[in-house]
Amino acid sequence: AQSVTQLDSQVPVFEEAPVELRCNYSSSVSVYLFWYVQYPNQGLQLLLKYLSGSTLVKGINGFEAEFNKSQTSFHLRKPSVHISDTAEYFCAVSAISGGYNKLIFGAGTRLAVHP
Amino acid sequence: DAGVTQSPTHLIKTRGQQVTLRCSPKSGHDTVSWYQQALGQGPQFIFQYYEEEERQRGNFPDRFSGHQFPNYSSELNVNALLLGDSALYLCASSSGLGTGNYGYTFGSGTRLTVV
């Protein structure tokens, strides 16, 4: 069965500093991986996704993530964060069963950007 | 182009009552999935509807039921509400089964509080 572990529940960082949000997954089959962002009192917005091909995936708002199959990781990075990046970030894996798929989410990482 | 629309946005119910939440999928999408997001946790998969049938279900009791209408909109019903049912309920739409990897769109959710 697939599962997702987000290694940090909270990540504080100063504005314009780089940040990495860590995500590890477990799966016995090929995976599709996602990062979503959730701003306060809002739903989930897709940041980026890995389906196949290049292991470095670029997303919206300057975020990127690297798929590492040997380490079963999909860490999210941004070279310089802004106050507006303060939000909850969720890593997810697509679980396929019997031809149907669903998303399995990690517990989330709260990114707090300080001036 | 409207995205996923959920109603109501907020709801307060008493223990033991029943509640119905509604979701209109993004235009062109025919599959609706429901997720429960408890405070401080990642979304948990409840069930998925396609062609007006429940196609797969997560680890939720039978108190949670749903329906999909011919226009692809969906309802989530919860009977005999418990305090632990308090959560943000998210609806996600996609096009076809097994292809959600290419585009889940989430609504802003319904915040249910059980008192």
Side-chain angles (χ1 to χ4, degrees):
Chain A
Q2 289 93 337
S3 66
V4 175
T5 302
Q6 292 185 242
L7 299 166
D8 307 293
S9 60
Q10 296 186 61
V11 173
V13 63
F14 287 108
E15 194 174 18
E16 297 183 5
V19 70
E20 179 180 81
L21 306 184
R22 298 180 294 168
C23 172
N24 285 94
Y25 68 92
S26 68
S27 175
S28 58
V29 296
S30 298
V31 295
Y32 301 120
L33 294 159
F34 306 80
W35 275 99
Y36 284 86
V37 61
Q38 186 176 39
Y39 298 103
N41 300 314
Q42 294 189 27
L44 301 176
Q45 180 182 3
L46 180 66
L47 277 177
L48 48 78
K49 59 188 175 187
Y50 171 79
L51 304 179
S52 65
S54 173
T55 57
L56 183 62
V57 181
K58 294 191 181 296
I60 62 171
N61 302 340
F63 284 93
E64 63 181 33
E66 186 160 15
F67 170 62
N68 189 319
K69 186 175 182 179
S70 62
Q71 297 186 9
T72 61
S73 68
F74 190 54
H75 300 334
L76 181 70
R77 303 185 182 102
K78 185 169 183 178
S80 176
V81 295
H82 302 289
I83 296 289
S84 59
D85 292 323
T86 294
E88 190 85 20
Y89 291 80
F90 293 97
C91 181
V93 63
S94 179
I96 300 175
S97 174
Y100 308 126
N101 77 74
K102 63 185 179 187
L103 291 176
I104 296 175
F105 289 87
T109 297
R110 178 164 296 279
L111 175 63
V113 181
H114 301 285
Chain B
D1 179 24
V4 177
T5 304
Q6 292 188 244
S7 63
T9 55
H10 295 83
L11 203 53
I12 299 175
K13 289 288 189 178
T14 303
R15 275 182 301 173
Q17 286 189 316
Q18 179 265 344
V19 69
T20 297
L21 311 181
R22 295 176 175 81
C23 171
S24 293
K26 180 179 178 179
S27 177
H29 286 182
D30 55 10
T31 303
V32 173
S33 303
W34 286 92
Y35 290 81
Q36 180 195 66
Q37 185 180 13
L39 197 62
Q41 297 182 25
Q44 300 291 317
F45 176 76
I46 303 175
F47 44 52
Q48 181 179 72
Y49 277 83
Y50 174 71
E51 292 187 335
E52 302 180 47
E53 289 189 17
E54 182 182 296
R55 297 295 177 164
Q56 58 175 333
R57 188 180 183 91
N59 188 26
F60 280 80
D62 292 344
R63 298 187 296 109
F64 289 77
S65 64
H67 189 78
Q68 185 179 35
F69 299 93
N71 66 352
Y72 309 123
S73 66
S74 176
E75 288 182 349
L76 163 65
N77 301 292
V78 187
N79 294 321
L81 284 167
L82 304 173
L83 295 179
D85 295 331
S86 295
L88 180 68
Y89 289 84
L90 295 166
C91 171
S93 72
S94 57
S95 179
L97 289 170
T99 60
N101 309 307
Y102 300 95
Y104 280 105
T105 300
F106 282 83
S108 296
T110 293
R111 174 74 62 186
L112 172 65
T113 302
V114 182
V115 298

